[in-house]
Amino acid sequence: MEPPYLSGLNPQQKAAVTAPCGPILVIAGAGSGKTRTLSCRVAYLLDQGIPPDRVLLATFTNKAAREMIDRVTKLVPVDASRIWGGTFHHIGHRLLRRHSERLRIDPHFTIIDREDAEHLLAECCQELGYSRKEGRFIPKAAVLLELFSLSIGTRRTLETVLAERLPEALLVQKEIGEIWEAYRNKKRASRLLDYDDLLWFAFELLRNDSFLREHYQEKFLHILVDEYQDTNRLQSDLVDLLAQRHRNLMVVGDDAQSIYSWRGAEARNILSFPQRYPDAFRISIEVNYRSAPAILELANRAIEQNIRQFPKRLRPAPFAPKGMQPLLVVAHDPTEQAAFVGWQLSKLAEQGIPWHEMAVLYRAHFHSLEVQMELVRLGIDFEVTSGLRFFEQAHIKDIAAFLRLVVNPKDEVAFRRVATLMPGIGPKTAARLWLEVSRGKDLGQIVPPASALPTWTTWYSLHQELLNLVHRPDAQVKLIVERFYDSYARLSYPDAESRLEDVKELANFAKGFKHTEEMLAELSLLTNLEAPRKGEDKSLVRLSTIHQAKGLEWRIVFVIMLCEGLFPAARSLTIPHGEEEERRLFYVAITRAKEGLFLVYPRFRPEVERGKLKPSRFLEELSSKLLETRQAKDFWTGS
């Protein structure tokens, strides 16, 4: 008689759960019950007499591991808490706590988080005198930490990572290398490890210590990895190393949802699994328990254009919602696109669909600007999970500070904000310099610290030009970016490209105003809107990038700004396999929807040459039989 936990599985899930020993590749399509399948596999192994402490379960959040182990505990009468379960970092931490002395690491080490790591790295820069070097800036600590992390996670040289992610930093490659060495030495002297150290040292421990390597290879009879498509090279190599003895390695994931290459994840880890394990048992789980049949047909059509993939076809569950026909909505411009989204959300709410069951998804945060403004105008509460509301972001407030000083030279807050963007000027120095301004000195008469002098001179010259452009706020924004903010952002933020895209969108927003003062007034009104208080019971529409939306689902989904150069993003098309990852992102967006899906794009955008936009190539790849096309204006005119 089969165990009860097997009886509720579909044939594909059951085949994965009861697969024979050896390497196993489970391709789990979107909404296919992946977590349930993995939990049942663990229960099945324990049911077969495998001791819990000889099972290793690697997940991407400790919460996911706890939930799976809790499920297992309810399925079989075994103490599942003895399973080695958790994130890769958690597993690395356990290994190092037990054996750190073999790497000459103090066993009483402390783990520092990202913020503390940035502070420590900034101290190293300061101690080495690398806040400025021969007129060239060293990237800020947050950017350096991102570059170091990528080098470790992808197992590539720092030079390779710099060339790919921040080529301008190759000019100071020697200095960056010295900073990294100083950072490592400072951590060791202070008995500190950061998150990357937990993985790297665990890997080094097993790779270089044959006794420990053989011990843990023997210990773990079965290794299971969740979300395998999101692993980086180091994580994949660590798993392969541990699995060498018994080769009972089950990896579960979906190559069609591999969308995090920008943070080091490598789709080839899952795609090359059959080559690394030629005898692997492979099974695809394709029954989708989330979406309506019409949405799944659209998703299947969207992803089939990719060449590098495991073919699969999502199929609806017998009780799948009937749903509505997916719609392709063509708007005149981003403003009309936003008007459509707001209008349709209101109508759906009137029909009884809760606000929190609806979401607006987009490729990049700046795509949501007009939608945010429209929802504010309509009084529709929304939650932005792709970051702060557009006008509340630090980089937008930085640009606004430059402009505020143009219209109000007595604006102390704006002065201090801009001044602290200069190298060598902190809050105390900015306060001292403001005293000189408040006593009547012009920006050009102030003498800042020597390290800030060249940038201060640039600011003064820029400020004079901005004074002559108060009737062209869009030109002002562009000039600030050109003369100052482009280089500042690239050396200050790991996600500089995304932030600069936001600033370009701000310039587009500024075109609607005849004077800088008018624009700033509107900015202030949009920034100071009352947001729902934490813990307040409000039903909110979700606005999110698709990257942030992975793993979530809603009854109704709008995917906006589906235009060439925006989605797919132009820069993604310039890197190897970039188009395929963008198409996977489109697939993830589609498969978030349960009942209704609206794909929307505008035909015109003022800042584009000749104003005309082309629909995304991903839309053109879809069959017209799967989509009903309508004009946005027809919805409220009743056409």
Side-chain angles (χ1 to χ4, degrees):
M1 181 177 176
E2 71 176 19
Y5 59 81
L6 291 179
S7 60
L9 302 175
N10 67 44
Q12 292 176 332
Q13 292 173 329
K14 188 180 292 187
V17 168
T18 60
C21 291
I24 304 166
L25 172 60
V26 181
I27 306 298
S32 63
K34 168 180 66 66
T35 302
R36 183 183 186 188
T37 302
L38 196 53
S39 302
C40 287
R41 173 64 178 183
V42 175
Y44 178 78
L45 292 174
L46 301 186
D47 227 5
Q48 300 298 304
I50 303 297
D53 62 344
R54 301 194 69 182
V55 175
L56 177 66
L57 173 62
T59 61
F60 270 79
T61 66
N62 285 318
K63 180 183 176 185
R66 286 194 300 270
E67 288 176 353
M68 285 190 200
I69 291 171
D70 287 345
R71 283 193 186 199
V72 172
T73 301
K74 294 172 183 174
L75 296 175
V76 290
V78 178
D79 182 10
S81 65
R82 292 166 54 214
I83 291 171
W84 274 58
T87 64
F88 283 95
H89 295 93
H90 176 76
I91 292 163
H93 175 236
R94 287 188 69 173
L95 288 170
L96 292 177
R97 282 294 180 201
R98 293 184 175 197
H99 312 291
S100 60
E101 71 282 356
R102 289 176 177 262
L103 288 170
R104 297 181 184 175
I105 296 172
D106 191 301
H108 303 293
F109 65 82
T110 301
I111 303 169
I112 54 174
D113 62 18
R114 187 81 177 188
E115 184 180 357
D116 289 337
E118 285 184 23
H119 287 316
L120 198 65
L121 198 50
E123 285 177 20
C124 294
C125 293
Q126 190 171 9
E127 289 171 6
L128 289 169
Y130 282 156
S131 57
R132 188 172 182 84
K133 180 75 173 177
E134 296 177 2
R136 299 193 298 269
F137 289 114
I138 299 290
K140 285 194 175 180
V143 177
L144 290 174
L145 202 60
E146 187 78 11
L147 295 169
F148 298 161
S149 182
L150 276 171
S151 178
I152 292 168
T154 60
R155 299 191 66 191
R156 293 185 295 169
T157 65
L158 179 60
E159 181 179 10
T160 302
V161 171
L162 288 175
E164 180 185 297
R165 297 298 176 103
L166 195 63
E168 50 266 51
L170 288 169
L171 294 170
V172 287
Q173 181 184 336
K174 175 178 174 290
E175 290 89 338
I176 291 174
E178 291 173 2
I179 292 168
W180 197 1
E181 182 64 24
Y183 175 59
R184 286 192 287 248
N185 290 338
K186 188 177 281 284
K187 284 187 294 181
R188 186 177 289 273
S190 304
R191 300 193 311 200
L192 301 175
L193 295 183
D194 63 24
Y195 289 149
D196 292 314
D197 291 333
L198 296 176
L199 278 183
W200 176 252
F201 284 127
F203 180 69
E204 286 294 284
L205 179 71
L206 297 175
R207 184 172 66 161
N208 298 321
D209 190 317
S210 59
F211 175 79
L212 282 182
R213 181 172 65 251
E214 290 170 10
H215 168 75
Y216 283 103
Q217 286 174 342
E218 174 60 32
K219 176 180 176 59
F220 295 125
L221 282 173
H222 287 269
I223 300 173
L224 304 94
V225 184
D226 189 19
E227 301 286 6
Y228 189 66
Q229 78 282 346
D230 293 334
T231 55
N232 61 31
R233 171 74 183 277
L234 179 57
Q235 291 164 336
S236 177
D237 287 352
L238 178 60
V239 167
D240 285 347
L241 185 66
L242 284 169
Q244 277 181 11
R245 172 67 58 86
H246 300 294
R247 301 184 76 254
N248 295 324
L249 171 62
M250 172 186 270
V251 299
V252 182
D254 184 5
D255 57 294
Q257 296 187 73
S258 179
I259 58 173
Y260 297 116
S261 67
W262 50 275
R263 67 183 189 197
E266 298 188 20
R268 69 180 175 186
N269 289 343
I270 191 169
L271 292 171
S272 67
F273 192 85
Q275 284 72 56
R276 302 200 317 277
Y277 297 90
D279 57 334
F281 176 83
R282 192 167 93 192
I283 180 75
S284 294
I285 303 176
E286 299 174 330
V287 177
N288 176 284
Y289 293 92
R290 176 188 299 152
S291 304
I295 292 171
L296 296 180
E297 280 297 313
L298 203 66
N300 289 329
R301 177 71 178 186
I303 199 62
E304 70 184 16
Q305 305 298 318
N306 273 4
I307 297 170
R308 297 168 67 247
Q309 67 169 315
F310 296 115
K312 70 186 74 64
R313 187 163 193 83
L314 295 178
R315 294 178 283 113
F319 50 82
K322 183 178 179 182
M324 57 184 76
Q325 177 76 3
L327 289 179
L328 173 59
V329 180
V330 185
H332 176 72
D333 56 20
T335 301
E336 187 174 89
Q337 174 181 250
F340 162 73
V341 171
W343 185 90
Q344 189 66 53
L345 284 169
S346 299
K347 290 298 177 185
L348 290 166
E350 288 174 8
Q351 294 167 20
I353 296 180
W355 295 108
H356 69 272
E357 284 282 5
M358 297 185 281
V360 183
L361 307 182
Y362 33 84
R363 173 64 181 83
H365 189 43
F366 75 91
H367 295 174
S368 69
L369 170 58
E370 290 85 4
V371 171
Q372 289 191 40
M373 292 171 63
E374 179 67 9
L375 298 189
V376 167
R377 189 184 70 80
L378 294 174
I380 296 175
D381 288 323
F382 62 93
E383 177 184 16
V384 182
T385 53
S386 52
L388 296 169
R389 293 189 179 207
F390 186 86
F391 296 111
E392 295 170 353
Q393 300 174 104
H395 45 291
I396 300 299
K397 295 176 94 169
D398 287 345
I399 301 296
F402 281 92
L403 300 179
R404 284 164 56 181
L405 281 171
V406 169
V407 299
N408 179 11
K410 295 186 179 295
D411 189 332
E412 179 181 356
V413 174
F415 174 87
R416 290 194 184 203
R417 187 176 190 105
V418 176
T420 52
L421 300 180
M422 313 288 160
I425 297 181
K428 288 183 179 178
T429 304
R432 177 178 60 78
L433 295 174
W434 171 252
L435 283 177
E436 296 186 45
V437 174
S438 65
R439 290 167 183 162
K441 277 193 177 181
D442 185 73
L443 285 178
Q445 297 173 309
I446 292 175
V447 181
S451 60
L453 186 56
T455 315
W456 190 280
T457 303
T458 298
W459 176 26
Y460 175 69
S461 173
L462 170 62
H463 183 74
Q464 298 305 115
E465 291 187 60
L466 293 176
L467 288 170
N468 297 321
L469 290 170
V470 290
H471 293 288
R472 289 194 57 203
D474 60 319
Q476 288 179 315
V477 174
K478 290 175 182 176
L479 193 62
I480 294 166
V481 173
E482 179 187 321
R483 296 287 180 83
F484 179 87
Y485 209 77
D486 185 278
S487 61
Y488 170 80
R490 293 183 191 282
L491 295 170
S492 302
Y493 298 116
D495 57 346
E497 288 288 351
S498 175
R499 291 175 186 259
L500 289 170
E501 284 178 341
D502 286 347
V503 174
K504 288 178 185 176
E505 190 64 17
L506 178 66
N508 186 44
F509 168 78
K511 283 186 177 180
F513 300 93
K514 295 179 180 178
H515 196 281
T516 309
E517 197 166 28
E518 179 188 347
M519 173 202 165
L520 290 172
E522 184 68 14
L523 259 179
S524 179
L525 291 171
L526 288 166
T527 303
N528 289 293
L529 289 165
E530 184 178 349
R533 293 185 297 276
K534 283 188 176 180
E536 189 173 347
D537 185 20
K538 283 207 173 188
S539 183
L540 306 174
V541 173
R542 182 77 66 92
L543 272 59
S544 176
T545 61
I546 301 162
H547 284 105
Q548 292 283 344
K550 184 173 175 288
L552 303 176
E553 59 185 44
W554 295 271
R555 286 176 65 182
I556 306 294
V557 168
F558 297 78
V559 186
I560 63 171
M561 281 294 184
L562 280 160
C563 309
E564 279 294 294
L566 297 175
F567 194 179
R571 69 175 183 274
S572 297
L573 301 178
T574 64
I575 59 177
H577 311 302
E579 180 180 330
E580 291 210 342
E581 180 156 339
E582 290 289 294
R583 191 176 284 107
R584 294 196 291 267
L585 198 60
F586 183 50
Y587 172 83
V588 167
I590 292 172
T591 53
R592 299 311 92 198
K594 294 195 281 189
E595 298 174 17
L597 176 67
F598 298 88
L599 305 178
V600 195
Y601 78 93
R603 289 178 298 174
F604 295 93
R605 204 159 178 247
E607 73 278 18
V608 177
E609 188 179 356
R610 298 181 184 174
K612 193 167 184 181
L613 294 168
K614 287 179 62 179
S616 169
R617 65 189 65 189
F618 303 149
L619 293 176
E620 307 219 323
E621 291 167 357
L622 300 175
S623 167
S624 58
K625 295 178 182 177
L626 302 176
L627 272 174
E628 179 186 346
T629 303
R630 294 186 62 183
Q631 300 298 312
K633 66 179 187 303
D634 292 346
F635 282 83
W636 47 83
T637 60
S639 303

